Amino acid sequence: MAHPISAFQAAYISIEVLIALVSVPGNILVIWAVKMNQALRDATFCFIVSLAVADVAVGALVIPLAIIINIGPQTEFYSCLMVACPVLILTESSILALLAIAVDRYLRVKIPVRYKSVVTPRRAAVAIACCWIVSLLVGLTPMFGWNNLSKMRRTQEPNASQEFVITCQFETVISMEYMVYFNFFVWVLPPLLLMLLIYLEVFNLIRKQLNKKVSSSSNDPQKYYGKELKIAKSLALVLFLFALSWLPLHVLNCITLFCPSCETPHILTYIAIFLTHGNSAMNPIVYAFRIKKFRTAFLQIWNQYFCCKTAKNATGSTTTAEPAN
C-alpha cells in the first residue's frame, strides 16, 4: 500500500515540476532557434544543441524519475537501477558537450584561417555521436555490475528470495565507490579542469591577438576576435554555472564515502539536487542575455509563431464576430 506524500515531499515535487516547466520549453526553444536560423549552424551551436537535448531530457525524464525515487516505491533491484541511471548518462553527455564546445572555441581562435576545413559538419556530427556513446557507457556502468547488489546479497537472509524487492532510492542501488572514484574522479573532475585550462588559453590567445592586431580570415581582426571574446565569455559562464551546480552534490558524495559517520543535513542534499536539475534551466537564459544571435532568433520565433499569431487570431475573431451583430 502506498504511503501518503508528506508536506515536505509535496514541496520537493512542486519545485521539481517548476524546474521542468522552465527547462523543457527553454531548451526546446534553443534547438528551434538553431534549426531555423542559418547564422546558428556552425559547429559550436551543434554542440549547444546536443547540450540542450540533454537538458530537455533532464526536465522531461530525469525529474519525473527523481520524483518517483523520492516517493520511494517498492520495486525490484534492477528496475530501480534503470530509474537511477538516466541522470548519470545525461550528466556525462552535458560534460562532454561542454568539453566539445571548449575545444571548438579554442580551434576558432588558434587556427581561424583553417578552422572551417578542420571542423566540418561531418566531424562535428561524429564528435557528438561519440560523446553520446561514451555517456551511455559511463552512465550504464552500474547496469553492467558496478552496483550495490552484491553488498545487499551479503546482508540478505540465506533463505530469502533471489529477487530483491527494495524501497527504490538512488543510494540503495548506486555504489558510492562508482559515484566518487569512477564518475567524479574520472569523468567529471578531469574534464572540468581541462575545460578551465582550455578557456584560460582561449582568453590568453584572444587578448594576444587583440593587442597585436594580427591578420586573420576576417577583414577586421579587432571585430573578429572581439566577437570571439564575447562568445567565449558566455560559454565560459555556462561552464561555470554547470560546475557550480554539480560540484556540491559530488562533494556530498565524497563525504558519504570517506566519512560514513558524518551526518549531512537532508536539506543540503535536496539543495544540491535542485542545483543539478536547475542547471538545465539556466543555459537558455544565459544564451538569451549573452549571445546576440540567440536573442535575435528567440525574438524572431516569438514574433513569427506566438505574438503575431495571437494578434491574427484576435483579429480573425473580431472579423468573424462582426456579421453576427
Side-chain angles (χ1 to χ4, degrees), residues 35-94:
K35 185 178 183 299
M36 71 173 291
N37 194 328
Q38 197 67 35
L40 296 172
R41 294 289 178 83
D42 64 18
T44 300
F45 296 108
C46 291
F47 296 130
I48 286 175
V49 165
S50 179
L51 181 60
V53 168
D55 287 339
V56 168
V58 168
L61 177 65
V62 168
I63 287 179
L65 293 179
I67 291 171
I68 290 171
I69 286 179
N70 182 260
I71 293 169
Q74 297 293 308
T75 182
E76 196 268 330
F77 183 89
Y78 275 99
S79 298
C80 183
L81 201 57
M82 287 177 67
V83 172
C85 282
V87 68
L88 304 174
I89 297 169
L90 295 170
T91 305
E92 191 55 38
S93 172
S94 297

Side-chain angles (χ1 to χ4, degrees), residues 25-34 36-37 40 48 283-307:
N27 284 287
I28 287 174
L29 191 62
V30 169
I31 298 166
W32 193 354
V34 173
M36 71 173 291
N37 194 328
L40 296 172
I48 286 175
N283 293 342
I285 298 169
V286 173
Y287 303 149
F289 282 97
R290 301 274 310 182
I291 301 178
K292 187 179 179 181
K293 287 180 180 179
F294 267 117
R295 188 162 59 250
T296 303
F298 291 162
L299 287 172
Q300 185 182 346
I301 290 171
W302 172 256
N303 290 330
Q304 186 172 344
Y305 294 97
F306 298 101
C307 181

Side-chain angles (χ1 to χ4, degrees), residues 15-257:
I15 294 170
E16 288 281 38
V17 169
L18 182 62
I19 292 170
L21 290 175
V22 175
S23 177
V24 174
N27 284 287
I28 287 174
L29 191 62
V30 169
I31 298 166
W32 193 354
V34 173
K35 185 178 183 299
M36 71 173 291
N37 194 328
Q38 197 67 35
L40 296 172
R41 294 289 178 83
D42 64 18
T44 300
F45 296 108
C46 291
F47 296 130
I48 286 175
V49 165
S50 179
L51 181 60
V53 168
D55 287 339
V56 168
V58 168
L61 177 65
V62 168
I63 287 179
L65 293 179
I67 291 171
I68 290 171
I69 286 179
N70 182 260
I71 293 169
Q74 297 293 308
T75 182
E76 196 268 330
F77 183 89
Y78 275 99
S79 298
C80 183
L81 201 57
M82 287 177 67
V83 172
C85 282
V87 68
L88 304 174
I89 297 169
L90 295 170
T91 305
E92 191 55 38
S93 172
S94 297
I95 291 170
L96 294 178
L98 288 168
L99 180 58
I101 290 168
V103 172
D104 178 72
R105 299 325 294 181
Y106 173 77
L107 292 175
R108 284 187 73 93
V109 298
K110 184 69 175 177
I111 51 168
V113 177
R114 294 189 296 119
Y115 170 79
K116 287 190 177 179
S117 62
V118 173
V119 185
T120 61
R122 181 182 176 84
R123 287 174 180 169
V126 169
I128 290 169
C130 289
C131 288
W132 279 97
I133 290 168
V134 171
S135 301
L136 284 166
L137 293 174
V138 172
L140 290 176
T141 297
M143 294 294 295
F144 303 146
W146 197 345
N147 54 51
N148 286 335
L149 184 59
S150 58
K151 188 187 294 184
M152 293 186 70
R153 276 186 175 149
R154 286 197 296 270
T155 59
Q156 188 189 27
E157 295 178 9
N159 59 348
S161 169
Q162 288 297 311
E163 286 192 5
F164 287 102
V165 176
I166 59 170
T167 300
C168 186
Q169 298 288 339
F170 188 86
E171 289 185 21
T172 305
V173 292
I174 299 292
S175 164
M176 223 16 83
E177 286 83 3
Y178 161 83
M179 285 302 299
V180 174
Y181 292 126
F182 186 68
N183 189 279
F184 182 48
F185 287 166
V186 177
W187 291 104
V188 174
L189 195 56
L192 287 177
L193 293 174
L194 179 58
M195 283 184 268
L196 175 63
L197 294 175
I198 290 172
Y199 276 111
L200 288 174
E201 182 60 17
V202 166
F203 292 133
N204 182 47
L205 286 170
I206 291 173
R207 293 193 189 282
K208 279 183 180 178
Q209 298 291 354
L210 287 173
N211 290 335
K212 291 179 182 178
K213 300 185 180 182
V214 296
S215 61
S216 71
S217 58
S218 172
N219 293 327
D220 186 352
Q222 290 286 85
K223 186 178 178 182
Y224 176 82
Y225 287 105
K227 185 173 70 174
E228 287 300 316
L229 181 61
K230 280 185 180 178
I231 294 177
K233 282 181 178 179
S234 301
L235 296 174
L237 176 60
V238 170
L239 171 62
F240 172 75
L241 290 173
F242 182 89
L244 192 68
S245 299
W246 279 96
L247 287 177
L249 187 60
H250 284 290
V251 169
L252 289 177
N253 287 340
C254 290
I255 293 171
T256 301
L257 179 64

